Amino acid sequence: MYFKDLTSESLPEHIEPGSIDVCLCIFVLSALHPNSWSQAIGNLEKLLKPGGRVLFRDYGRYDLAQLRFKGDRLLEDNLYVRGDGTRAYFFTQEEIAELFGKNFTIEQNAIDRRLIVNRARKIKMYRPFVGAKMLTRIAQTSRKPKPPFTLSIFPRVSCRAFSSAFISVAPYRLKTRITVPNKSKLIASYSTDKLKDQFIRDSHDYLDILCRDLEELLDEFMDKPGYDVVLSSGVLTVKLAHKGTYVINTQPANFQIWVSSPVSGPRRFEVNEGKWFDIKNEEIFLDTLLKQEISTLLQ
């Protein structure tokens, strides 16, 4: 794995120009300042082979995350700054066509609209994402064929709700039975790759809703130093300044959510009927525990 500033005027020394087959550009441009987009896209074009592709995905205009930003977070039109200092921009299809159309042939450019539903609380959240596929069109000098190589580019920043692009409200199809220690109650089981993917989608959906609830809980503290709520790649981090930090992350290998709490220590949670409960005490639910502990710390 290599790290390189995509907006730099120089290309990575360890990657030959015109040697990349596919570039994954996922939630990258939204983390960059608009003044840097042209340079970044130009670098992608130089790195790709003739006929190479850019697979693009990023936040769409009027996404839930955009609507939740307060006025003092606005830097420019549709460009915001998060509590941790990182940026977030929300695109339209027309902007993507204009940005990439100068260097690439655009094969696909669409809005992926997702609906996240919390049936228990009767909450609906609408999430638009821009997805596009671009093809290099400038012929380059022929080179000796090389094995296919894919370059994945991700911003080294926190991207809220990055992992919450999918939602499933269908009940699980149980393949095996797992019982809570010393309990006979059947809980949801994920025993195949397909069900593992289902677990990832459902747990990320849950963390997205939990992130929203905790942001509301910390609303009056968010502008103070040391306080923040960040959801990135299945990890929810809640910073409470000198009072401590919560880390909540999904564990697909164990089909659990793990929690590190400055109050109650490490805990593990599993799901049954949409409720995440402590594996040592099924009467303790994750959302209730966090809200009670954090509310006490904020007093």
mmCIF file of all heavy atoms in Angstrom, residues 156-175:
data_model
loop_
_atom_site.group_PDB
_atom_site.id
_atom_site.type_symbol
_atom_site.label_atom_id
_atom_site.label_comp_id
_atom_site.label_asym_id
_atom_site.label_seq_id
_atom_site.Cartn_x
_atom_site.Cartn_y
_atom_site.Cartn_z
ATOM 1 N N ARG A 156 -7.552 9.850 3.322
ATOM 2 C CA ARG A 156 -7.157 9.494 4.686
ATOM 3 C C ARG A 156 -7.840 10.455 5.659
ATOM 4 O O ARG A 156 -7.214 11.156 6.435
ATOM 5 C CB ARG A 156 -5.644 9.566 4.823
ATOM 6 C CG ARG A 156 -4.911 8.602 3.925
ATOM 7 C CD ARG A 156 -3.420 8.681 4.154
ATOM 8 N NE ARG A 156 -3.047 8.212 5.466
ATOM 9 C CZ ARG A 156 -1.820 8.284 5.963
ATOM 10 N NH1 ARG A 156 -0.854 8.797 5.244
ATOM 11 N NH2 ARG A 156 -1.560 7.854 7.178
ATOM 12 N N VAL A 157 -9.166 10.504 5.573
ATOM 13 C CA VAL A 157 -9.955 11.388 6.417
ATOM 14 C C VAL A 157 -11.187 10.636 6.863
ATOM 15 O O VAL A 157 -11.505 9.574 6.357
ATOM 16 C CB VAL A 157 -10.387 12.670 5.664
ATOM 17 C CG1 VAL A 157 -9.186 13.461 5.216
ATOM 18 C CG2 VAL A 157 -11.261 12.315 4.464
ATOM 19 N N SER A 158 -11.892 11.202 7.824
ATOM 20 C CA SER A 158 -13.140 10.619 8.283
ATOM 21 C C SER A 158 -14.256 11.010 7.328
ATOM 22 O O SER A 158 -14.458 12.177 7.057
ATOM 23 C CB SER A 158 -13.479 11.118 9.692
ATOM 24 O OG SER A 158 -12.463 10.745 10.585
ATOM 25 N N CYS A 159 -14.965 10.047 6.809
ATOM 26 C CA CYS A 159 -16.074 10.317 5.898
ATOM 27 C C CYS A 159 -17.356 9.805 6.547
ATOM 28 O O CYS A 159 -17.572 8.607 6.633
ATOM 29 C CB CYS A 159 -15.872 9.622 4.555
ATOM 30 S SG CYS A 159 -14.482 10.266 3.620
ATOM 31 N N ARG A 160 -18.171 10.704 7.048
ATOM 32 C CA ARG A 160 -19.382 10.283 7.740
ATOM 33 C C ARG A 160 -20.311 9.536 6.803
ATOM 34 O O ARG A 160 -20.496 9.893 5.653
ATOM 35 C CB ARG A 160 -20.123 11.502 8.271
ATOM 36 C CG ARG A 160 -19.348 12.237 9.353
ATOM 37 C CD ARG A 160 -20.218 13.284 9.972
ATOM 38 N NE ARG A 160 -19.423 14.095 10.873
ATOM 39 C CZ ARG A 160 -19.926 14.731 11.894
ATOM 40 N NH1 ARG A 160 -21.198 14.653 12.151
ATOM 41 N NH2 ARG A 160 -19.160 15.463 12.658
ATOM 42 N N ALA A 161 -20.900 8.508 7.362
ATOM 43 C CA ALA A 161 -21.910 7.743 6.654
ATOM 44 C C ALA A 161 -21.349 7.081 5.406
ATOM 45 O O ALA A 161 -22.093 6.689 4.537
ATOM 46 C CB ALA A 161 -23.108 8.623 6.295
ATOM 47 N N PHE A 162 -20.024 6.973 5.297
ATOM 48 C CA PHE A 162 -19.437 6.335 4.130
ATOM 49 C C PHE A 162 -19.978 4.917 3.964
ATOM 50 O O PHE A 162 -20.224 4.456 2.867
ATOM 51 C CB PHE A 162 -17.919 6.312 4.302
ATOM 52 C CG PHE A 162 -17.221 5.395 3.351
ATOM 53 C CD1 PHE A 162 -17.313 5.612 1.997
ATOM 54 C CD2 PHE A 162 -16.483 4.335 3.810
ATOM 55 C CE1 PHE A 162 -16.666 4.781 1.109
ATOM 56 C CE2 PHE A 162 -15.842 3.507 2.937
ATOM 57 C CZ PHE A 162 -15.932 3.724 1.577
ATOM 58 N N SER A 163 -20.181 4.196 5.049
ATOM 59 C CA SER A 163 -20.554 2.795 4.989
ATOM 60 C C SER A 163 -22.049 2.568 5.099
ATOM 61 O O SER A 163 -22.485 1.466 5.360
ATOM 62 C CB SER A 163 -19.854 2.028 6.112
ATOM 63 O OG SER A 163 -18.480 2.209 6.041
ATOM 64 N N SER A 164 -22.816 3.600 4.919
ATOM 65 C CA SER A 164 -24.247 3.422 5.111
ATOM 66 C C SER A 164 -25.020 3.577 3.810
ATOM 67 O O SER A 164 -26.140 4.044 3.786
ATOM 68 C CB SER A 164 -24.765 4.443 6.122
ATOM 69 O OG SER A 164 -24.495 5.748 5.654
ATOM 70 N N ALA A 165 -24.374 3.187 2.704
ATOM 71 C CA ALA A 165 -25.024 3.409 1.418
ATOM 72 C C ALA A 165 -26.079 2.369 1.089
ATOM 73 O O ALA A 165 -26.828 2.528 0.143
ATOM 74 C CB ALA A 165 -23.973 3.411 0.310
ATOM 75 N N PHE A 166 -26.144 1.297 1.858
ATOM 76 C CA PHE A 166 -27.087 0.244 1.550
ATOM 77 C C PHE A 166 -28.020 -0.010 2.724
ATOM 78 O O PHE A 166 -27.695 0.248 3.859
ATOM 79 C CB PHE A 166 -26.338 -1.057 1.210
ATOM 80 C CG PHE A 166 -25.407 -0.915 0.060
ATOM 81 C CD1 PHE A 166 -24.078 -0.610 0.272
ATOM 82 C CD2 PHE A 166 -25.869 -1.054 -1.230
ATOM 83 C CE1 PHE A 166 -23.211 -0.471 -0.795
ATOM 84 C CE2 PHE A 166 -24.999 -0.929 -2.291
ATOM 85 C CZ PHE A 166 -23.673 -0.641 -2.075
ATOM 86 N N ILE A 167 -29.188 -0.553 2.405
ATOM 87 C CA ILE A 167 -30.173 -0.805 3.446
ATOM 88 C C ILE A 167 -31.004 -2.026 3.096
ATOM 89 O O ILE A 167 -31.333 -2.255 1.944
ATOM 90 C CB ILE A 167 -31.107 0.419 3.627
ATOM 91 C CG1 ILE A 167 -32.273 0.088 4.572
ATOM 92 C CG2 ILE A 167 -31.693 0.868 2.303
ATOM 93 C CD1 ILE A 167 -31.872 -0.271 5.941
ATOM 94 N N SER A 168 -31.285 -2.827 4.064
ATOM 95 C CA SER A 168 -32.193 -3.947 3.878
ATOM 96 C C SER A 168 -33.155 -3.987 5.048
ATOM 97 O O SER A 168 -32.753 -3.899 6.199
ATOM 98 C CB SER A 168 -31.409 -5.268 3.812
ATOM 99 O OG SER A 168 -32.302 -6.360 3.806
ATOM 100 N N VAL A 169 -34.434 -4.072 4.753
ATOM 101 C CA VAL A 169 -35.419 -4.147 5.821
ATOM 102 C C VAL A 169 -36.065 -5.527 5.855
ATOM 103 O O VAL A 169 -37.031 -5.753 6.552
ATOM 104 C CB VAL A 169 -36.512 -3.076 5.632
ATOM 105 C CG1 VAL A 169 -35.917 -1.696 5.776
ATOM 106 C CG2 VAL A 169 -37.195 -3.207 4.265
ATOM 107 N N ALA A 170 -35.528 -6.445 5.046
ATOM 108 C CA ALA A 170 -36.078 -7.797 5.025
ATOM 109 C C ALA A 170 -35.583 -8.578 6.229
ATOM 110 O O ALA A 170 -34.474 -8.358 6.705
ATOM 111 C CB ALA A 170 -35.656 -8.507 3.743
ATOM 112 N N PRO A 171 -36.390 -9.499 6.766
ATOM 113 C CA PRO A 171 -35.940 -10.327 7.894
ATOM 114 C C PRO A 171 -34.824 -11.262 7.453
ATOM 115 O O PRO A 171 -34.709 -11.615 6.278
ATOM 116 C CB PRO A 171 -37.197 -11.094 8.279
ATOM 117 C CG PRO A 171 -38.022 -11.123 7.036
ATOM 118 C CD PRO A 171 -37.754 -9.812 6.341
ATOM 119 N N TYR A 172 -33.990 -11.669 8.398
ATOM 120 C CA TYR A 172 -32.886 -12.566 8.084
ATOM 121 C C TYR A 172 -33.413 -13.966 7.791
ATOM 122 O O TYR A 172 -34.387 -14.417 8.360
ATOM 123 C CB TYR A 172 -31.912 -12.652 9.264
ATOM 124 C CG TYR A 172 -31.416 -11.328 9.730
ATOM 125 C CD1 TYR A 172 -31.485 -10.964 11.068
ATOM 126 C CD2 TYR A 172 -30.886 -10.424 8.834
ATOM 127 C CE1 TYR A 172 -31.028 -9.733 11.493
ATOM 128 C CE2 TYR A 172 -30.423 -9.197 9.240
ATOM 129 C CZ TYR A 172 -30.496 -8.868 10.573
ATOM 130 O OH TYR A 172 -30.032 -7.661 10.995
ATOM 131 N N ARG A 173 -32.715 -14.648 6.893
ATOM 132 C CA ARG A 173 -33.006 -16.050 6.652
ATOM 133 C C ARG A 173 -32.019 -16.862 7.476
ATOM 134 O O ARG A 173 -30.834 -16.908 7.171
ATOM 135 C CB ARG A 173 -32.863 -16.374 5.161
ATOM 136 C CG ARG A 173 -33.883 -15.637 4.296
ATOM 137 C CD ARG A 173 -33.727 -16.023 2.851
ATOM 138 N NE ARG A 173 -34.707 -15.344 2.018
ATOM 139 C CZ ARG A 173 -34.803 -15.506 0.701
ATOM 140 N NH1 ARG A 173 -33.977 -16.318 0.083
ATOM 141 N NH2 ARG A 173 -35.718 -14.845 0.010
ATOM 142 N N LEU A 174 -32.497 -17.492 8.499
ATOM 143 C CA LEU A 174 -31.617 -18.179 9.432
ATOM 144 C C LEU A 174 -31.119 -19.483 8.822
ATOM 145 O O LEU A 174 -31.887 -20.275 8.318
ATOM 146 C CB LEU A 174 -32.349 -18.461 10.739
ATOM 147 C CG LEU A 174 -32.938 -17.226 11.424
ATOM 148 C CD1 LEU A 174 -33.611 -17.645 12.722
ATOM 149 C CD2 LEU A 174 -31.861 -16.212 11.702
ATOM 150 N N LYS A 175 -29.796 -19.681 8.876
ATOM 151 C CA LYS A 175 -29.197 -20.897 8.353
ATOM 152 C C LYS A 175 -28.761 -21.843 9.477
ATOM 153 O O LYS A 175 -28.781 -23.041 9.337
ATOM 154 C CB LYS A 175 -27.988 -20.537 7.482
ATOM 155 C CG LYS A 175 -28.363 -19.722 6.232
ATOM 156 C CD LYS A 175 -29.260 -20.503 5.308
ATOM 157 C CE LYS A 175 -29.577 -19.702 4.047
ATOM 158 N NZ LYS A 175 -30.474 -20.414 3.145
#
